[in-house]
């Protein structure tokens, strides 16, 4: 078990957090980092859909707030690539990521067969990196989606780094730096491309923040048929057929060829297939682009699905449960038992009725053939009583104080990727940010220590200047004021302060 692991930032890839751990650990080899975190050296460093997350959680500090579900849903692209898959496929991907066997991940998600290729290199936003100049740069999850994208926050084009998504040695965890994330200039996006990108990124962000339920091919078929008929794309006397020519023409009028090609979409044949009976999965971009075209938000999908559900969710007729003897039926029962149990793991706060709505076919099958087991292995309707778990705050205060002191020393000893000594910085270092932010008053020794070491903006700025002067003197570089401003990243309004510190430092020699 490792002593500490950096708390992932918002929208940070798990890969990136591991890369930050590697730098902090002082490990000379990435293989040592793999052994620290996964217990073996053969785990592949994969940023998009990583595996072995259960082993990683087991190696984290005892009091960590990180969970398998949290890492998978908030720090990988699992919610994006599984959003429009069936429950069975989504659960298969989830289980492979928890375990250490991800051989079929890219096949199950459709990434392998998709015409939209995954980028080969990490992408980054120059302005996001400038804002993190004196903090820690990290790889953003949203920036690693396929195609040429823009930053949703700054509305500028993302740039390509020199770091490959999959390193040749398949074991390296590489952090973003000024050396591997160079760019010539900041490229702002102009209309109307900017508007289309922002519409798409809003849907993607909504999808990543609030994952939707999983639906079958049949449900997605009815979903699009209903919307297309409502939007006037029915044709013939009965209006039960889709006017494919009109749909295709309007779609290409709505999205420019340039916009689609930048997303890696070189053909629009999928538009016709999406409006027909679904026999295969479609790339998430295809679904999201069609939803935007039909003026549907991600939050609207469950409501629309409920209105066209092909399977009734009413309680089945109370007939005696059948007693199967056929070996194939027994095998199917066991398969559906596993799906029902995994559903409860994936949606731990859902009631039996809510789980039944997500996968009515599994519920109906078990109700018919294995009702007793179903009743015994379903969420109970009883109200939950709060459990008063008393925490020994005095002991917790004593245990964490040493970690906070060590984290402070580590931050002050850094010569690169400097961070100001704050509650957040210390919380990130020891992996207990929520505890320090919410329960600091219950940790008097830690609170007193932090009050004594935390830095004001002025103190942090002066520390950066002194450190830069020492570094330049060590290298024998000439020390000039303009170089100090540029290399330290300090705003020009503090030029007078830089001059004063520089003069004092040089006079001491």
């Amino acid at each position: 078990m490792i002593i500490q692991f950096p708390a992932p930032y918002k929208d940070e890839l798990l890969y990136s957090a591991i890369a930050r751990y590697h730098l902090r650990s002082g490990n000379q080899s990435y293989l040592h980092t793999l052994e620290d975190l996964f217990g073996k050296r053969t785990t592949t460093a994969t940023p998009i859909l990583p595996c072995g997350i259960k082993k990683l959680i087991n190696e984290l500090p005892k009091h960590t707030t990180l969970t398998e579900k949290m890492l998978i849903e908030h720090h990988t692209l699992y919610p994006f690539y599984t959003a429009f898959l069936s429950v069975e496929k989504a659960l298969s991907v989830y289980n492979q990521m928890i375990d250490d066997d991800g051989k079929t991940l890219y096949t199950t998600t459709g990434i392998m067969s998709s015409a939209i290729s995954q980028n080969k290199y990490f992408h980054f936003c120059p302005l996001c990196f400038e804002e993190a100049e004196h903090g820690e740069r990290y790889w953003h999850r949203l920036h690693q989606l396929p195609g040429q994208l823009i930053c949703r926050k700054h509305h500028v084009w993302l740039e390509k780094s020199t770091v490959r998504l999959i390193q040749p040695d398949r074991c390296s965890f590489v952090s973003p730096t000024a050396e591997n994330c160079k760019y010539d200039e900041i490229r702002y996006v102009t209309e109307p491309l900017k508007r289309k990108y922002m519409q798409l990124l809003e849907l993607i962000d909504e999808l990543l923040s609030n994952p939707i339920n999983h639906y079958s091919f049949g449900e997605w078929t009815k979903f699009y048929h209903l919307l297309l008929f409502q939007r006037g794309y029915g044709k013939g006397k009965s209006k039960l057929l889709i006017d494919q020519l009109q749909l295709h023409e309007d779609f290409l009028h709505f999205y420019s060829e340039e916009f689609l090609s930048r997303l890696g979409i070189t053909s629009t044949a999928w538009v016709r297939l999406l409006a027909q009976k679904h026999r295969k999965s479609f790339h998430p971009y295809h679904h999201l682009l069609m939803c935007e075209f039909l003026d549907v938000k991600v939050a609207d999908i469950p409501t629309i699905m409920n209105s066209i559900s092909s399977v009734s969710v009413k309680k089945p007729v109370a007939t005696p449960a059948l007693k199967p003897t056929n070996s194939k039926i027994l095998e199917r029962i066991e398969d559906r038992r596993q799906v029902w149990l995994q559903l409860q793991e994936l949606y731990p706060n859902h009631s039996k009725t809510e789980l039944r709505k997500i996968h009515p076919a599994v519920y109906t099958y078990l109700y018919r053939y294995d009702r007793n087991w179903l009743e015994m292995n379903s969420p109970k309707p009883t109200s939950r009583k709060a459990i008063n778990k008393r925490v020994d705050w005095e002991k917790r205060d004593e245990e964490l104080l040493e970690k906070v002191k060590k984290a402070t020393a580590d931050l002050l000893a850094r010569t690169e990727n400097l961070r100001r000594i704050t509650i957040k910085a210390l919380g990130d270092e020891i992996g207990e940010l929520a505890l320090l932010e919410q329960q600091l008053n219950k940790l008097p020794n830690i609170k007193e220590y932090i009050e004594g070491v935390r830095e004001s903006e002025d103190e942090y700025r002066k520390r950066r200047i002194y450190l830069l002067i020492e570094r330049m003197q060590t290298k024998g570089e000439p020390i000039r004021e303009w170089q100090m401003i540029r290399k330290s990243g300090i705003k020009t309004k503090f030029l007078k302060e830089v001059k004063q510190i520089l003069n004092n430092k040089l006079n001491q020699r």
Side-chain angles (χ1 to χ4, degrees), residues 1-6 36-37 53 55-67 71:
M1 181 178 293
I2 61 174
I3 298 176
Q4 56 182 267
F5 184 79
D36 285 350
L37 300 180
I53 293 179
K55 288 187 176 180
L56 172 61
I57 292 295
N58 291 338
E59 296 294 337
L60 295 186
K62 184 177 180 181
H63 300 294
T64 183
T65 56
L66 297 176
T67 64
L71 291 180

Side-chain angles (χ1 to χ4, degrees), residues 441-456:
N441 287 332
K442 297 180 180 178
L443 306 167
N445 292 327
I446 294 177
K447 182 177 181 180
E448 181 182 2
Y449 177 79
I450 291 179
E451 289 296 331
V453 300
R454 68 193 306 176
E455 292 178 306
S456 65

Side-chain angles (χ1 to χ4, degrees), residues 304-323:
I304 298 172
M305 282 295 191
N306 287 338
S307 69
I308 52 93
S309 179
S310 59
V311 181
S312 173
V313 295
K314 294 180 180 180
K315 186 175 180 180
V317 179
T319 55
L322 300 179
K323 296 181 179 180

